[in-house]
Amino acid sequence: MSSAWLLPEHIADVLPHEARRIEELRRLMLDAARGFGYELVMPPLLEHLESLLSGTGHELNLQTFKLVDQLSGRSLGVRADTTPQVARIDAHLLNRVGVTRLCYCGPVLHTLPSGLHGTREPLQFGAELYGHGGLEADLEVQELAIDCLARAGLSGLVMDLADARVLDGLLSHAPANPVRLEVIQQALAAKDASTLAAATDDFAPELRDGLRALPELYGDDEVLAAARERLPRQPVISAALDDLQWLSRQLRAAHPEVRVGFDLADLSGYAYYSGTRFALYAPGGRDTLARGGRYDNVGEVFGRRRPAVGFSLDLKAVVEHVGFDGRRAAIRAPWGEDAGLRAAVRRLREQGEAVVCVLPGHEQEADEFECDRELVAVNGAWVVRAC
């Protein structure tokens, strides 16, 4: 019999040491988004299931916990991704004509973890830009993602660029067999050349060769040149490659510290992307820190299809790669009934200082704050001095 206090698998408490680092990271990223002009929204954790899973949200069906509302008897879902919710807010609650910039930060819940050691309760931070279809919006979102990670102290980032239109352009000429197309997409995502070869064996040569080339189109600038040679000369594919080239040029000029490359077979993440997409990886590794891209169809189910681009990340995953401790400087003060002491503590706290009062009998205990100063009595007055 399991203990009542044991948590479900891949669900964990966040203890003070880790919580303070995550909170520091949350504040840094929200400040970064605000610096770009993004407004904070807080969608609910629960929604009616048909709203969460309608339109592009149906891709999240297997990741969504479902329950019955005891008030209405309707089926509810716990959000597995916040992007469809923000699209609903843009479409129905704000309904602005021009550009809208929104950001969010809150927990999402997944039925299954993303990996062996992954959590089923990510703390998702993200930003969305609605209303502009040009590459300027794609670039802004990519630069915001870079800035968020840079503020966390991460350097040596790797960014891979891709575009959903490359695969869409190829598959638009494939036989309309949903099962076969699903096998092809899974093989591309896993870069499984043998399965891909078997699934495309009876395709027209140009289509077959183009699909089989995608897993090999990964790397630096030579990837785009190779793609122009090996992929069918379709206008939609050519436009996608041109856009990727423009973005990479802009990113390298503004962020020479970021290594920009391409992965034209990247299908990871949610499947509602409609244009350029990107992934940011940790320095010296392949751990994904952030994903994003263009998803112009995301608001269509809510009656308002308009340009949209954004990104998201899991603060719990990112914090594993940051070096800061998050410990806040504080003032150590004795506990006492002296009116002057208590007034001095209140005044310091009103000024924004953290004041930790040492309770009687606990003078030698460590705490979660870096007490670099102390409140002491000098000539009848309470003053702050360095420890």
Side-chain angles (χ1 to χ4, degrees):
M1 180 177 179
S2 62
S3 300
W5 49 265
L6 289 179
L7 294 174
E9 292 182 69
H10 298 277
I11 298 290
D13 293 308
V14 180
L15 301 182
H17 172 76
E18 193 74 358
R20 70 169 185 254
R21 299 171 69 232
I22 292 174
E23 174 61 13
E24 182 73 14
L25 190 60
R26 184 189 72 86
R27 294 183 184 189
L28 285 170
M29 293 195 175
L30 285 175
D31 285 346
R34 184 170 57 184
F36 276 65
Y38 286 72
E39 302 172 272
L40 180 65
V41 292
M42 298 179 180
L45 191 60
L46 287 171
E47 281 202 43
H48 291 127
L49 196 59
E50 60 267 28
S51 175
L52 279 181
L53 302 183
S54 57
T56 54
H58 77 277
E59 300 292 343
L60 302 171
N61 183 37
L62 294 179
Q63 280 282 47
T64 301
F65 276 98
K66 303 160 179 92
L67 62 154
V68 175
D69 186 358
Q70 296 301 305
L71 292 179
S72 66
R74 296 178 63 181
S75 294
L76 302 180
V78 182
R79 67 179 179 216
D81 179 40
T82 314
T83 296
Q85 294 183 296
V86 179
R88 175 181 53 77
I89 289 173
D90 173 70
H92 279 294
L93 300 183
L94 297 178
N95 198 28
R96 296 171 181 170
V97 175
V99 169
T100 301
R101 294 177 171 91
L102 303 175
C103 65
Y104 58 86
C105 187
V108 296
L109 196 62
H110 295 166
T111 55
L112 295 171
S114 58
L116 182 61
H117 302 293
T119 178
R120 289 197 288 168
E121 191 187 16
L123 182 57
Q124 190 181 50
F125 168 86
E128 320 282 343
L129 192 158
Y130 297 92
H132 185 73
L135 287 177
E136 299 86 358
D138 301 66
L139 180 62
E140 178 178 304
V141 165
Q142 291 167 10
E143 292 197 296
L144 174 55
I146 292 171
D147 189 54
C148 285
L149 296 175
R151 289 192 184 210
L154 292 169
S155 58
L157 296 171
V158 177
M159 175 182 276
D160 279 348
L161 298 173
D163 197 306
R165 292 172 293 175
V166 173
L167 181 59
D168 290 344
L170 288 169
L171 294 183
S172 65
H173 296 276
N177 183 328
V179 175
R180 174 93 68 97
L181 296 180
E182 178 69 21
V183 170
I184 291 172
Q185 291 176 344
Q186 291 178 356
L188 287 169
K191 291 184 168 54
D192 184 347
S194 59
T195 299
L196 183 61
T200 59
D201 188 57
D202 59 345
F203 283 5
E206 186 180 51
L207 172 60
R208 178 194 64 212
D209 295 344
L211 287 169
R212 292 180 181 181
L214 283 182
E216 301 172 14
L217 295 175
Y218 171 78
D220 295 325
D221 283 346
E222 68 274 5
V223 167
L224 296 184
R228 296 184 192 279
E229 290 294 325
R230 301 182 64 181
L231 298 181
R233 297 181 183 276
Q234 298 178 16
V236 65
I237 294 178
S238 297
L241 297 177
D242 290 343
D243 288 351
L244 292 176
Q245 191 162 36
W246 185 88
L247 285 169
S248 66
R249 186 168 61 248
Q250 298 295 326
L251 288 166
R252 286 168 179 158
H255 303 277
E257 76 283 2
V258 177
R259 200 187 90 195
V260 179
F262 307 91
D263 184 0
L264 299 190
D266 181 17
L267 300 178
S268 303
Y270 301 128
Y272 44 59
Y273 292 111
S274 62
T276 64
R277 51 187 298 173
F278 68 93
L280 275 162
Y281 297 95
R286 298 306 293 171
D287 292 339
T288 308
L289 299 180
R291 285 192 178 276
R294 178 166 289 280
Y295 25 74
D296 290 343
N297 300 320
V298 71
E300 185 172 15
V301 70
F302 304 112
R304 196 174 188 217
R305 184 186 186 278
R306 70 181 192 137
V309 59
F311 80 95
S312 66
L313 54 82
D314 176 14
L315 290 176
K316 292 181 180 178
V318 173
V319 79
E320 296 178 3
H321 298 273
V322 302
F324 59 73
D325 181 74
R327 192 183 295 265
R328 183 180 174 188
I331 299 170
R332 191 178 181 89
W335 188 92
E337 297 184 38
D338 179 78
L341 168 62
R342 298 172 71 84
V345 169
R346 286 196 301 271
R347 186 168 59 252
L348 288 167
R349 287 173 176 163
E350 288 170 358
Q351 294 170 358
E353 297 282 4
V355 182
V356 180
C357 287
V358 180
L359 299 177
H362 298 272
E363 289 79 8
Q364 304 304 318
E365 292 183 11
D367 56 60
E368 286 291 317
F369 292 82
E370 188 70 50
C371 292
D372 58 346
R373 292 154 294 162
E374 59 182 348
L375 187 63
V376 296
V378 177
N379 298 325
W382 290 97
V383 298
V384 177
R385 71 180 185 187
C387 289

